[in-house]
Amino acid sequence: MQDYDWPKVLEEVVTLARAAGAAIKAVATSGDLQTQAKADTSPVTAADLAANEVIIKGLQQLTPDIPIVSEESPKLAEGREKSRVIWLVDPLDGTAAFVDNGDDYTVNIGLIVDTQPLLGAVYVPAQDMTYWGLIGEGAWRQKGSESPIALQTKPSRKPPVVASSRRHLDPDTSALLKGLGEYIEFRSSSSIKLCYVADGQVDLYPRLGNNMEWDTAAADAVIRAAGGQVLCPDDWQPLRYNKPDLYSLPFVAFADPALLKQLKNVS
């Protein structure tokens, strides 16, 4: 693989994420969502496919030698197990929220190197808000035309604010939440929950049920670049990617290290 200037690559990825968001909004404006059910019964729309086309074309031009693993382009992932570096893409995370006119669906582009995220960009089209981060360099948030805000982790509140999925609250995650004691619940869709950990709106986000690697990679990079952690409770090591089946391991995302002891006691 050729050498890349990763900060410049990230700039281009942020632009790509926003362009994909514009494609999503164009489909929404047209009113022709063309919603269909995939094999796993999850919805896919013309907006998913339009955003996917923008991202795939852009990444192929930007880094032609890096395999792309996208939810909507599974054939591109063939042979990716042999590569140390891959893109993980979810062109529209939270499709159900998008169809329901919600404002918390996201565009996600993350880069994995040796099973760990290096950089990522998450765009929230309905809020015109972007999160991006590069490990070792930092993380940022920008909303509309405002200047980017550097993100740094902060001590958690008491009681902590805990994010959970609006549509996918599995039994294991529910059990963990009950063991935490008093907390304030915040429900939302998509990877935006991970971004809220990075910017301090949420203190903890556990997800122990089914998930895919492309759902978390980009926002995981943002959290880690901001100084937070995304750990697998099986061994309390950083969440790993580019595994054979691409199903995400269970994880807990948090900013305050003081929460780790409490989480270990609960689990």
Side-chain angles (χ1 to χ4, degrees):
M1 185 187 74
Q2 71 181 77
D3 292 331
Y4 286 102
D5 183 335
W6 294 123
K8 289 186 177 180
V9 168
L10 180 56
E11 289 180 12
E12 295 296 329
V13 169
V14 169
T15 299
L16 268 181
R18 291 171 175 162
I24 291 170
K25 288 190 281 189
V27 172
T29 300
S30 74
D32 187 14
L33 301 186
Q34 302 176 39
T35 306
Q36 302 176 26
K38 294 191 287 189
D40 63 359
T41 73
S42 63
V44 62
T45 70
D48 296 75
L49 302 179
N52 188 63
E53 183 177 357
V54 169
I55 295 170
I56 297 301
K57 182 178 179 180
L59 291 180
Q60 288 176 333
Q61 293 176 346
L62 181 63
T63 56
D65 58 334
I66 298 179
I68 303 168
V69 180
S70 172
E71 180 176 10
E72 308 305 342
S73 295
K75 290 185 179 180
L76 289 178
E78 294 177 358
R80 51 93 188 167
E81 300 96 334
K82 300 177 182 178
S83 178
R84 294 177 47 243
V85 185
I86 65 167
W87 290 107
L88 279 171
V89 174
D90 191 344
L92 203 174
D93 184 25
T95 301
F98 167 70
V99 172
D100 291 343
N101 295 315
D103 67 352
D104 52 359
Y105 58 90
T106 58
V107 175
N108 303 267
I109 308 174
L111 184 79
I112 302 301
V113 178
D114 292 330
T115 78
Q116 298 298 304
L118 176 65
L119 62 84
V122 179
Y123 182 55
V124 191
Q127 302 181 41
D128 192 17
M129 184 162 57
T130 315
Y131 294 84
W132 66 97
L134 173 61
I135 304 300
E137 297 291 330
W140 297 266
R141 182 192 68 215
Q142 184 173 21
K143 187 167 185 177
S145 60
E146 72 179 18
S147 299
I149 298 171
L151 301 179
Q152 295 181 324
T153 57
K154 302 174 182 178
S156 58
R157 287 147 289 214
K158 293 184 179 180
V161 176
V162 179
S164 60
S165 175
R166 197 189 304 278
R167 292 177 170 84
H168 306 290
L169 191 57
D170 62 277
D172 289 338
T173 302
S174 296
L176 177 66
L177 292 177
K178 288 181 181 178
L180 284 174
E182 185 181 3
Y183 65 90
I184 300 170
E185 186 176 26
F186 177 86
R187 286 203 169 197
S188 185
S189 300
S190 81
S191 64
I192 198 171
K193 297 186 292 296
L194 288 159
C195 294
Y196 286 161
V197 173
D199 72 10
Q201 295 186 61
V202 164
D203 299 305
L204 175 69
Y205 171 39
R207 180 68 182 267
L208 308 185
N210 290 336
N211 212 29
M212 300 302 296
E213 291 187 1
W214 51 66
D215 292 321
T216 60
D220 186 346
V222 174
I223 289 179
R224 298 194 203 191
Q229 299 186 70
V230 182
L231 305 182
C232 177
D234 293 343
D235 55 10
W236 296 108
Q237 295 299 308
L239 189 62
R240 301 178 295 281
Y241 295 85
N242 200 18
K243 304 186 312 307
D245 60 11
L246 289 174
Y247 283 97
S248 177
L249 295 169
F251 67 83
V252 288
F254 56 95
D256 186 356
L259 282 172
L260 182 56
K261 182 177 181 180
Q262 184 178 2
L263 289 168
K264 288 182 176 180
N265 289 337
V266 171
S267 62

